[in-house]
Amino acid sequence: MQPIFEEITEPPKEYCWSSLSLAEGGKKIYIFGGTNETIIFSYDLYGSKQWSIPKIDGIAPEGRNQFQTVSDNENNYLYIFGGEKNNKFFKDMNILNTKYSSWNNMMILGAQKIINVPYWADYTAIMLSSGEIVYIGGRQSTSPNGLNVSFAKMNEIYVFNTKSSSWDIINTSGNVPDSRIGHSAVLNSNNEIIVYGGASSEDLVTLATPDLVILSIASKPYQWIIPKVENVPKSRSFHSAAIVGNFMITTFGYIAGTQNETNLISILDFSDTTNVRWTSYDMIQASQTDKEETGLKETFISQNLAVILGGTIGGVVVLSVIIVVTILLYKAWRSHSNMRGRHQLPSSQSS
């Protein structure tokens, strides 16, 4: 069955490598960063359904790519950390108050110890109900000039507490997976972060393994779990993912280890996180496989497929069904896919 999309009017042109999130209490979509010279775009979901450039007080942060915006649980504050642009790495934490339209650059403190946060790009970020942001994967540098670039360790998880404006590092136990970039991360209702896909080398050829892992954050230290997976599809990178009920929906991106684009929508049923199962749907041919075995109903697909990218770039779960976000990012991704920018990461420099 072919999912139905509603195309938004006149989206920003020549725009990629940006990050978006719900804002103003979920009434609007904000897009920050990327290749467009304008730093912020806003789309009114329920009013005019038009694009605008909001007027924001304070000092705006420098534009950047390869980062992720995270909204608080009320969708009023946007947290923008790190990123990279033209071989310059960032590690600043900027907060945008979308309710009162003002920027704030936070002074970062250590949680009971001094923590030197690295310059960081290509990570995923997850907002927890506690007000903590969990950062996973990506590339880290010891300087803004991109010196000594390395992949973030998966046995040490950086956490930013939005209430105390402080960083902490949480050690992990269990089966620690490969470091990676181009992955996704989403939070389910069991306080588990599902990490999927990506590459473990800067040439983007080496697949990160296992491609599907779960980070339990119910207690400290966090624990990595490798579930039993059925009907495994080809892994992908630089895709998008979101949670709908007990399903993780992944879409678009590249077949991991290649520069081949994919139109497949893959749905992971994690009702039992010790034994999960994939089902895939072709966006173009509308073909379906294993539909009866997985118990997926046409009503579920038609009503919930549009949540794929609503307020997420690899991580933040938003339960609102936002059709316009899906088509927006699909169009932006398609229009710039030939640039292969994601497949030409800056070369690591050595001191």
Side-chain angles (χ1 to χ4, degrees):
M1 186 191 69
Q2 184 76 24
I4 299 174
F5 295 107
E6 175 185 339
E7 185 170 357
I8 65 172
T9 58
E10 299 181 359
K13 299 184 184 338
E14 301 180 359
Y15 211 90
C16 62
W17 304 339
S18 58
S19 182
L20 68 77
S21 184
L22 289 175
E24 297 187 29
K27 297 177 182 178
K28 293 185 178 181
I29 301 169
Y30 273 38
I31 301 181
F32 174 80
T35 55
N36 196 295
E37 292 299 322
T38 302
I39 291 182
I40 289 282
F41 278 103
S42 171
Y43 183 78
D44 191 337
L45 285 169
Y46 302 105
S48 66
K49 294 190 176 182
Q50 298 293 322
W51 288 100
S52 63
I53 301 175
K55 181 179 179 180
I56 302 173
D57 296 329
I59 301 175
E62 188 174 344
R64 62 199 65 192
N65 311 320
Q66 295 165 241
F67 67 101
Q68 183 176 342
T69 302
V70 187
S71 64
D72 70 327
N73 296 308
E74 286 74 41
N75 299 315
N76 284 321
Y77 292 89
L78 304 185
Y79 295 84
I80 298 168
F81 167 70
E84 181 267 344
K85 189 170 186 178
N86 298 328
N87 291 325
K88 179 180 179 180
F89 279 70
F90 299 90
K91 67 172 185 177
D92 53 337
M93 176 66 76
N94 299 278
I95 301 176
L96 175 57
N97 184 331
T98 64
K99 187 175 182 179
Y100 296 105
S101 296
S102 62
W103 283 106
N104 187 16
N105 187 284
M106 298 298 297
M107 179 182 295
I108 305 304
L109 306 174
Q112 299 180 348
K113 55 187 174 181
I114 298 175
I115 296 175
N116 184 20
V117 180
Y119 296 87
W120 204 339
D122 292 309
Y123 57 79
T124 55
I126 299 293
M127 174 67 77
L128 307 182
S129 59
S130 61
E132 296 173 302
I133 306 174
V134 177
Y135 291 87
I136 298 175
R139 296 178 299 139
Q140 298 176 337
S141 173
T142 57
S143 77
N145 297 323
L147 297 175
N148 301 319
V149 174
S150 61
F151 279 30
K153 297 178 181 179
M154 303 293 272
N155 62 347
E156 293 180 349
I157 303 298
Y158 282 74
V159 178
F160 180 74
N161 189 315
T162 63
K163 296 179 179 178
S164 62
S165 298
S166 62
W167 285 97
D168 201 358
I169 299 176
I170 308 299
N171 293 324
T172 67
S173 61
N175 299 304
V176 180
D178 286 348
S179 299
R180 61 194 66 199
I181 58 175
H183 57 291
S184 61
V186 294
L187 178 69
N188 67 18
S189 58
N190 297 322
N191 268 337
E192 296 170 328
I193 298 175
I194 302 174
V195 178
Y196 174 62
S200 61
S201 62
E202 284 206 38
D203 60 12
L204 306 180
V205 173
T206 305
L207 303 183
T209 59
D211 67 343
L212 183 69
V213 288
I214 295 175
L215 181 63
S216 174
I217 57 173
S219 61
K220 299 176 182 179
Y222 295 163
Q223 182 180 13
W224 287 107
I225 301 169
I226 301 176
K228 180 180 177 182
V229 185
E230 298 181 18
N231 204 25
V232 181
K234 291 183 178 179
S235 186
R236 64 179 79 191
S237 60
F238 299 104
H239 55 282
S240 294
I243 290 285
V244 178
N246 288 326
F247 298 89
M248 179 180 77
I249 304 175
T250 62
T251 180
F252 312 132
Y254 297 89
I255 299 300
T258 75
Q259 293 190 6
N260 298 327
E261 305 164 4
T262 178
N263 290 310
L264 284 180
I265 292 178
S266 296
I267 301 177
L268 179 71
D269 182 348
F270 57 86
S271 301
D272 176 5
T273 54
T274 63
N275 189 1
V276 300
R277 179 179 175 81
W278 284 102
T279 301
S280 296
Y281 300 82
D282 194 301
M283 283 288 292
I284 302 301
Q285 300 177 3
S287 62
Q288 301 182 12
T289 58
D290 298 329
K291 177 179 175 182
E292 293 182 357
E293 290 184 14
T294 58
L296 292 173
K297 303 296 184 180
E298 287 191 358
T299 53
F300 170 82
I301 299 299
S302 62
Q303 292 173 7
N304 293 303
L305 206 52
V307 78
I308 296 167
L309 298 179
T312 80
I313 295 292
V316 181
V317 179
V318 179
L319 297 180
S320 304
V321 179
I322 307 175
I323 298 176
V324 292
V325 182
T326 308
I327 195 64
L328 162 65
L329 292 187
Y330 176 65
K331 285 171 66 67
W333 179 80
R334 289 284 300 177
S335 65
H336 294 278
S337 60
N338 292 330
M339 294 173 63
R340 306 298 187 197
R342 281 289 197 176
H343 292 259
Q344 297 175 355
L345 295 177
S347 300
S348 301
Q349 302 178 32
S350 58
S351 55

